[in-house]
Amino acid sequence: MKPTDPHHSHENCLALFERLSEYIDKELDAPACKDIEAHIKACKPCQVCLDTLKQTVDFCKNLERHQVPETFSLKLKDTISELVRKKSD
């Protein structure tokens, strides 16, 4: 990665990172996808980031869903209510 290359600045990587979810979900137009793909092709850290995000999304999609015990839900609600009360004091 050359520091003088305008496509590989820290800011460009951060801007790409902000759009990766939309890219994975196919919510971007063709020009935006081409820009991301060009950047990813030339930027190893962003390749790793994209691959990791894809794996995380796939992992989450394949998780089994379990019902949370009612006692846990009640305790969580009480805890949140207490935090909200403390914050407003």
Side-chain angles (χ1 to χ4, degrees):
M1 190 176 337
K2 298 175 189 172
T4 57
D5 186 344
H7 300 292
H8 297 100
S9 69
H10 182 67
E11 292 80 18
N12 284 342
C13 293
L14 288 174
L16 175 127
F17 182 76
E18 291 176 3
R19 304 193 78 196
L20 281 184
S21 290
E22 294 170 298
Y23 175 75
I24 290 172
D25 293 339
K26 298 177 179 20
E27 297 174 350
L28 298 176
D29 60 19
C33 288
K34 285 184 181 184
D35 288 345
I36 288 174
E37 289 161 0
H39 181 97
I40 294 289
K41 186 176 181 180
C43 183
K44 184 66 175 173
C46 287
Q47 289 173 20
V48 171
C49 186
L50 176 61
D51 290 342
T52 302
L53 183 58
K54 283 181 178 180
Q55 289 173 9
T56 302
V57 168
D58 289 342
F59 178 76
C60 290
K61 284 180 180 178
N62 294 314
L63 282 176
E64 288 185 35
R65 295 181 185 237
H66 297 282
Q67 185 68 33
V68 176
E70 187 175 353
T71 55
F72 177 82
S73 293
L74 292 172
K75 187 174 181 177
L76 181 61
K77 287 177 186 178
D78 289 344
T79 302
I80 291 170
S81 294
E82 183 65 26
L83 289 171
V84 169
R85 240 187 330 263
K86 285 180 181 179
K87 189 172 184 167
S88 65
D89 288 345

